[in-house]
Amino acid sequence: MKHCRLWAAALSTSVLASGAFAADLPGKGVTVQPIQSTISEETFQTLLVNKALEKLGYDVQETREVDYNVAYTSIAAGDATFTAVNWAPLHDDMYRAAGGDKVFYREGAYITGAAQGYLIDRKTAEKYHITNVEQLKDPKIAKLFDANGNGKADLTGCTPGWGCEAALNAQMKAYGLNATVDNNQGNYAAMIADTITRYKEGKPIFYYTWTPYWVSDVLVPGRDVLWLQVPFSVLPGEKNGTTELPNGKNYGFKVNTMHIVANRAWAEKNPAAAKLFAIMKVPLKDINAQNSAMHAGQSSEADIEQQAEGWIAAHQALFDKWVEEAAAAAK
């Protein structure tokens, strides 16, 4: 339970600024409506932003949960203020479709180094020398990952509407895998739970995942599972886009950054919040650790609230600096 110790420190509520600052909060009287997807693991990073906004005096409403595409259209229309879970480039099509830079404010990178791609269990990878997803075109290799007896590999795919399903669909077609692989789409949490059960039973597994997320703390890449490369880059909406890394390896997806995206008109009227959105940065490993704590059972609203407060307490000087710099931008 090493991850749980991250949140074990005594929690404290601090006074972040001088009396003069407290008397003249830049967000006083201004309402903020946060928005996120229905993935509960996104709550932590949203809460950190909410709490910083509250320190600036903003009236932060309870976070609304909607599908990603609805989040972007709601922010564009001014029905919501911001989301802390804009994935780039994964959500670029949704971002552009809702109005792009003309309607959205997006500065800075909140979380960096977010990887995603295909993985299989290490035991099967090493036994059959599987390193590339294209090898599953071989019916004999594909059948190793058959979970329902139809002779095809079962890929634990993506929940429709998340953005990743478009990439997976395009790649399955481009790599000629539709004849030998079932790209299963549905409730990811339920599908990955079944995948982990299969792994614990010693059965081969083939799945898609991303970081930050708790799955890679349970199925650890390099120890339990291995990333698969792809034969060439396939990016929906990009004819000449590449996912190849500087070292020549290609895992099928660009490394993503996560941004805080706000309604542009609102951000321009609220320079303190805009500055905050631009300067907040949280390490990916901290998101992974918190997600892991949730998976271990600490997943109630009260738990996540306490985890956010614990992270702030452990990074108090940094948090205070964000708030102070944001307040200064309003002067």
Side-chain angles (χ1 to χ4, degrees):
M1 302 302 288
K2 62 180 180 179
H3 297 300
C4 299
R5 292 201 294 270
L6 182 60
W7 319 111
L11 305 179
S12 64
T13 303
S14 66
V15 177
L16 295 183
S18 66
F21 169 64
D24 188 24
L25 295 171
K28 186 176 181 181
V30 181
T31 299
V32 174
Q33 179 58 67
I35 201 164
Q36 68 173 64
S37 84
T38 56
I39 302 172
S40 58
E41 285 81 4
E42 293 179 354
T43 304
F44 173 71
Q45 66 204 66
T46 304
L47 266 181
L48 294 180
V49 183
N50 290 352
K51 289 179 179 297
L53 287 167
E54 287 171 353
K55 290 297 181 183
L56 289 165
Y58 289 95
D59 179 15
V60 181
Q61 304 299 298
E62 186 174 346
T63 303
R64 280 170 39 206
E65 294 185 356
V66 296
D67 289 339
Y68 287 119
N69 60 334
V70 176
Y72 290 110
T73 56
S74 297
I75 294 169
D79 297 327
T81 311
F82 81 92
T83 179
V85 288
N86 163 245
W87 288 71
L90 187 64
H91 290 176
D92 282 0
D93 286 348
M94 285 185 275
Y95 181 88
R96 285 191 291 263
D101 293 338
K102 290 182 179 179
V103 299
F104 295 122
Y105 170 85
R106 179 172 66 178
E107 298 291 339
Y110 189 29
I111 299 164
T112 59
Q116 57 190 310
Y118 304 96
L119 298 99
I120 62 172
D121 61 289
R122 182 176 174 176
K123 181 175 72 174
T124 305
E126 292 180 343
K127 182 176 180 180
Y128 294 94
H129 309 289
I130 304 168
T131 60
N132 196 298
V133 72
E134 190 178 34
Q135 291 174 256
L136 275 78
K137 287 170 68 174
D138 181 342
K140 292 179 182 177
I141 296 295
K143 192 174 181 179
L144 297 170
F145 303 97
D146 179 12
N148 59 12
N150 71 351
K152 298 173 71 175
D154 281 285
L155 168 65
T156 300
C158 184
T159 299
W162 282 5
C164 40
E165 83 283 359
L168 296 184
N169 289 338
Q171 290 176 357
M172 290 295 108
K173 182 178 179 180
Y175 304 150
L177 291 170
N178 285 330
T180 55
V181 175
D182 282 332
N183 175 17
N184 297 314
Q185 299 182 16
N187 182 306
Y188 185 82
M191 292 192 300
I192 199 66
D194 181 62
T195 301
I196 292 168
T197 297
R198 287 179 56 78
Y199 175 80
K200 290 178 178 177
E201 293 171 348
K203 298 174 182 176
I205 56 170
F206 174 37
Y207 66 100
Y208 160 87
T209 199
W210 67 94
T211 61
Y213 196 57
W214 60 263
V215 169
S216 293
D217 263 25
V218 175
L219 298 172
V220 179
R223 186 190 74 188
D224 307 315
V225 293
L226 297 176
W227 294 95
L228 292 184
Q229 291 193 62
V230 298
F232 52 87
S233 300
V234 174
L235 287 165
E238 286 189 51
K239 289 185 178 179
N240 300 310
T242 182
T243 53
E244 187 172 310
L245 299 175
N247 63 7
K249 293 187 176 182
N250 192 340
Y251 296 98
F253 294 84
K254 291 181 179 178
V255 175
N256 275 240
T257 54
M258 297 177 73
H259 304 268
I260 301 168
V261 165
N263 176 278
R264 177 169 285 281
W266 187 92
E268 288 173 351
K269 292 176 184 175
N270 290 274
K275 180 68 172 178
L276 181 74
F277 296 157
I279 63 176
M280 285 188 74
K281 295 182 188 297
V282 175
L284 183 138
K285 64 180 177 61
D286 291 2
I287 307 290
N288 267 342
Q290 185 275 339
N291 285 184
S292 223
M294 288 179 67
H295 181 63
Q298 299 173 37
S299 58
S300 69
E301 284 186 24
D303 287 333
I304 300 170
E305 177 79 19
Q306 188 178 58
Q307 289 156 5
E309 291 285 359
W311 189 91
I312 292 168
H315 302 81
Q316 196 69 62
L318 175 63
F319 186 83
D320 292 356
K321 186 170 179 285
W322 290 339
V323 174
E324 288 162 9
E325 284 188 24
K331 295 178 181 177

